[in-house]
Amino acid sequence: MENHRPYLERSLELAQEAAQAGESAVGCVIVKDGVIIGEGTEQSRRLKDVTRHAEVVAVLDAVHRHGSCAGATLYSNVEPCILCSYVIRHYKIAQVVFTDYCGELGGTLPPFNILTTAEIKSWNPPPIVTQAG
């Protein structure tokens, strides 16, 4: 758990930035080989775009700056929702660590467990998911 702490703390810093900007308090970092390769804050309200969740923004940042985030670890202060879970699976992120469950639209538990299901045969195996809160 100690090796996750700095990245979870950074996601909380980003969540505070999002809250100060009038967004939902969600922050996310993507880490590969011990280096942060992408960061994101919730931006849906500001951009008037429901797809701009912190996790999606962080994934797009990592892909833009590094070409890929396959095999990386995603850290968020909130469980990825079903939208973010689809993005995480599509970009082949290997591990997800979050602190708080998000409720009925979360992507880790049935009936919408997009992040954790192995039932979608055209996808790679699901990432390792850790709730660290």
Side-chain angles (χ1 to χ4, degrees), residues 30 55-56 59-60 63 67-72 74 80-96 114-117 120 122-127:
I30 310 287
E55 296 89 342
V56 173
V59 166
L60 293 175
V63 169
S68 172
C69 52
L74 180 145
C81 71
I82 54 177
L83 167 78
C84 297
S85 295
Y86 181 91
V87 171
I88 290 164
R89 294 292 297 268
H90 178 81
Y91 283 98
K92 301 177 179 148
I93 291 174
Q95 184 172 12
V96 174
I114 292 171
L115 191 60
T116 57
T117 186
I120 302 172
S122 62
W123 281 356
N124 288 330

Side-chain angles (χ1 to χ4, degrees), residues 41-93:
T41 61
E42 195 79 7
Q43 298 179 23
S44 297
R45 291 183 184 126
R46 182 174 61 85
L47 297 178
K48 296 179 175 54
D49 182 347
V50 71
T51 68
R52 294 306 179 229
H53 291 192
E55 296 89 342
V56 173
V57 172
V59 166
L60 293 175
D61 183 44
V63 169
H64 175 75
R65 294 191 313 164
H66 299 278
S68 172
C69 52
T73 300
L74 180 145
Y75 293 89
S76 180
N77 63 305
V78 177
E79 170 195 16
C81 71
I82 54 177
L83 167 78
C84 297
S85 295
Y86 181 91
V87 171
I88 290 164
R89 294 292 297 268
H90 178 81
Y91 283 98
K92 301 177 179 148
I93 291 174

Side-chain angles (χ1 to χ4, degrees), residues 118-132:
E119 298 299 314
I120 302 172
K121 301 302 180 203
S122 62
W123 281 356
N124 288 330
I128 297 166
V129 177
T130 304
Q131 194 268 334

